Amino acid sequence: MHNDSRSESYAAAGVDITAGYKAVELMKKHVARTKNEGCLDDVGGFGGCFGLNLAGMEEPVLVSGTDGVGTKLKLAILLDKHDTIGIDCVAMCVNDVICCGAKPLFFLDYIACGKNVPERIAELVAGVAEGCVQSGSALIGGETAEHPGMMPEDEYDLAGFSVGIVDKKKIIDNTKMKAGDVVIALASSGVHSNGFSLVRKVFDIDNNNPELTKPCAELGGKTIAETLLTPTKIYVKSVLALLEKVNVKGISHITGGGFYENIPRSIPDGLGARVRKADVKVLPIFDLIAKTGNIPERDMFNTYNMGVGMSIVVAPEDVDTALEILRAHGEDAYLIGDIVESDNKITIC
């Protein structure tokens, strides 16, 4: 703790720098969980240092991804539950990085808040640290900025970025994809961190709808709130295990824009993914969103992951091996379609 560093004038203006020091002290135990062989120093310096092990790599390429959590934060703030939202922040970044075939190495976060409440900041970082543990990343630094006058005291925003590494020859670039290849789905844990502006409207979240915290039969007795706040699933370790054994031809992280925006991003011109709608294991929360909000099916598939957090394309002869590996690593992996010659990069039928 920096006992000699304090400013009564700055505190009177709305920024308590001693609260920042306390937050750092509280979060250190969480950060320590993420340490790996690349970590070179402790939290609190001016820059996060990470040592690269390039053994066995011919042309190492760094791959980076950055994202936030979006308006899912509104739900966390409303419920005063802040210890899982950091998992979402990490997931949105590392799940993107793994789509290139890169192994995430380290992560940094950025928290902007109306008022620095050290205990709440530590809860946020605890979630970030858990996401880092799940993805094998080191949390090597971050920033907490107090913004009085810019946002209410009880609100905050959370963002971050991940850096990973892959040998250039192993980058997944879809150039080997061809008609007849198979599309594998990896089940999501729920809504993840996308489409929450629509979710908030559908369930009247901003007005603290009392139905949010009541057991819901459609959700197996869980509440709408706890179901929506379920953290984004992190697929890094299972996909890395797959890449060791199988020639993966394309990976899509199904985020905002749903199937129609994200699956085409991993498919080359002249080919398209033909997704069998009946084979998609749509989670109950999506049925409830569609029913409550009277949302057309096309819009649902163009906004949400619908129960598929990631899609992976492999050759037909690799399907059995791929499913075995993914399931052995805890994934609900199953087939949802195939690759065909087409001018439309995705068809849901």
Side-chain angles (χ1 to χ4, degrees):
M1 185 77 72
H2 301 256
N3 293 320
D4 295 330
S5 180
R6 61 174 59 88
S7 170
E8 298 301 330
S9 298
Y10 207 6
V15 177
D16 183 359
I17 56 177
T18 60
Y21 301 144
K22 182 178 180 182
V24 170
E25 290 301 314
L26 291 174
M27 69 178 68
K28 281 186 175 180
K29 64 181 180 181
H30 303 300
V31 175
R33 296 180 58 218
T34 75
K35 284 186 176 293
N36 60 29
E37 67 279 0
C39 294
L40 298 181
D41 56 14
D42 293 325
V43 172
F46 289 97
C49 298
F50 191 90
L52 287 175
N53 180 0
L54 305 180
M57 289 197 174
E58 296 177 10
E59 293 184 82
V61 175
L62 294 178
V63 179
S64 59
T66 185
D67 211 335
V69 183
T71 62
K72 186 173 183 176
L73 290 172
K74 286 285 225 178
L75 184 60
I77 293 168
L78 177 66
L79 298 175
D80 193 26
K81 180 172 172 53
H82 314 284
D83 60 344
T84 62
I85 203 74
I87 300 175
D88 292 281
C89 186
V90 176
M92 297 307 294
C93 299
V94 297
N95 283 345
D96 279 355
V97 167
I98 196 64
C99 287
C100 299
K103 176 185 178 181
L105 297 174
F106 60 83
F107 190 85
L108 285 89
D109 60 29
Y110 177 83
I111 302 169
C113 56
K115 180 179 177 60
N116 188 333
V117 180
E119 292 77 12
R120 185 172 63 189
I121 298 300
E123 282 188 72
L124 289 171
V125 174
V128 173
E130 174 59 27
C132 287
V133 169
Q134 290 183 21
S135 63
S137 304
L139 180 57
I140 65 171
E143 175 70 12
T144 302
E146 203 167 9
H147 289 171
M150 287 287 288
M151 59 178 69
E153 288 190 355
D154 63 343
E155 291 191 2
Y156 58 83
D157 196 10
L158 173 63
F161 73 88
S162 170
V163 174
I165 192 167
V166 62
D167 205 340
K168 186 176 181 179
K169 65 182 180 182
K170 295 183 178 180
I171 293 175
I172 300 171
D173 60 5
N174 77 29
T175 56
K176 296 179 181 179
M177 195 178 297
K178 62 183 181 180
D181 288 337
V182 179
V183 183
I184 296 174
L186 300 188
S188 71
S189 56
V191 181
H192 284 184
S193 304
N194 306 104
F196 267 82
S197 294
L198 180 55
V199 163
R200 286 164 46 224
K201 179 181 178 182
V202 167
F203 293 121
D204 197 23
I205 287 176
D206 292 354
N207 292 318
N208 201 5
N209 180 0
E211 297 300 318
L212 290 172
T213 53
K214 295 179 181 179
C216 179
E218 291 97 325
L219 302 177
K222 290 186 176 181
T223 68
I224 295 173
E226 69 177 311
T227 301
L228 291 173
L229 205 55
T230 301
T232 304
K233 187 168 179 56
I234 292 176
Y235 300 98
V236 170
K237 292 181 179 179
S238 55
V239 173
L240 285 175
L242 178 67
L243 294 175
E244 290 181 1
K245 303 290 185 180
V246 173
N247 177 26
V248 173
K249 300 187 178 185
I251 305 178
S252 289
H253 181 201
I254 315 299
T255 56
F259 281 48
Y260 284 100
E261 181 175 325
N262 292 289
I263 292 180
R265 293 170 65 180
S266 66
I267 298 176
D269 292 341
L271 297 177
R274 184 174 57 194
V275 175
R276 297 181 295 272
K277 183 169 55 180
D279 290 344
V280 176
K281 298 179 182 178
V282 178
L283 295 175
I285 184 61
F286 297 110
D287 291 330
L288 186 61
I289 292 170
K291 175 184 173 183
T292 306
N294 193 27
I295 301 171
E297 184 180 71
R298 173 63 163 75
D299 288 356
M300 290 295 296
F301 275 92
N302 206 166
T303 306
Y304 299 107
N305 68 62
M306 299 302 285
V308 179
M310 187 164 280
S311 65
I312 297 175
V313 177
V314 301
E317 60 268 23
D318 290 328
V319 168
D320 290 343
T321 300
L323 291 175
E324 182 181 352
I325 292 170
L326 291 167
R327 290 167 179 170
H329 283 79
E331 302 295 346
D332 180 7
Y334 59 97
L335 307 185
I336 56 168
D338 48 20
I339 302 299
V340 297
E341 294 183 0
S342 176
D343 293 330
N344 296 321
K345 289 196 173 184
I346 182 168
T347 302
I348 301 178
C349 54

